[in-house]
Amino acid sequence: MTMTETEARDLVVREIRRIVPDAEFEDLAPDADLRRTFELDSLDFLGFVEMLAKDAAIRIDEEDYPELATMTSCQRLLSSRTATPPTS
């Protein structure tokens, strides 16, 4: 099932709020650094990645971590990884 960018954003918000319950997203710039904005240390970020992978039912490797830097890049990664391949 293909995840829309809105669904991807909602998932990112939900997972960050599991780590930072009072996280505010209303004024978050699409290209703001998520780790810096929400003060995610290495363990918090790893937990965030694991929860995203589990809930999106996708594999996220360490090489993909740079793609999880901003809301925009997270949405792009989640949408592309959940895209249903065309049938032939």
Side-chain angles (χ1 to χ4, degrees):
M1 179 177 105
T2 302
M3 183 179 292
T4 66
E5 291 209 0
T6 300
E7 292 168 330
R9 184 182 197 290
D10 291 345
L11 179 60
V12 171
V13 168
R14 184 172 61 242
E15 300 308 357
I16 288 180
R17 283 198 172 135
R18 289 174 68 179
I19 298 165
V20 184
D22 59 345
E24 294 291 331
F25 290 89
E26 290 74 28
D27 296 326
L28 180 69
D31 292 323
D33 185 286
L34 296 175
R35 289 183 74 172
R36 188 172 308 127
T37 300
F38 299 111
E39 299 177 0
L40 302 176
D41 63 23
S42 297
L43 290 176
D44 289 336
F45 183 73
L46 183 57
F48 168 67
V49 171
E50 289 174 350
M51 290 184 288
L52 276 181
K54 180 179 179 250
D55 290 348
I58 61 171
R59 181 180 173 132
I60 300 175
D61 295 316
E62 190 171 347
E63 302 87 49
D64 300 318
Y65 292 1
E67 295 302 313
L68 299 173
T70 69
M71 183 62 77
T72 299
S73 62
C74 281
Q75 288 174 281
R76 191 177 311 120
L77 176 79
L78 292 169
S79 295
S80 69
R81 291 280 172 90
T82 60
T84 306
T87 57
S88 21

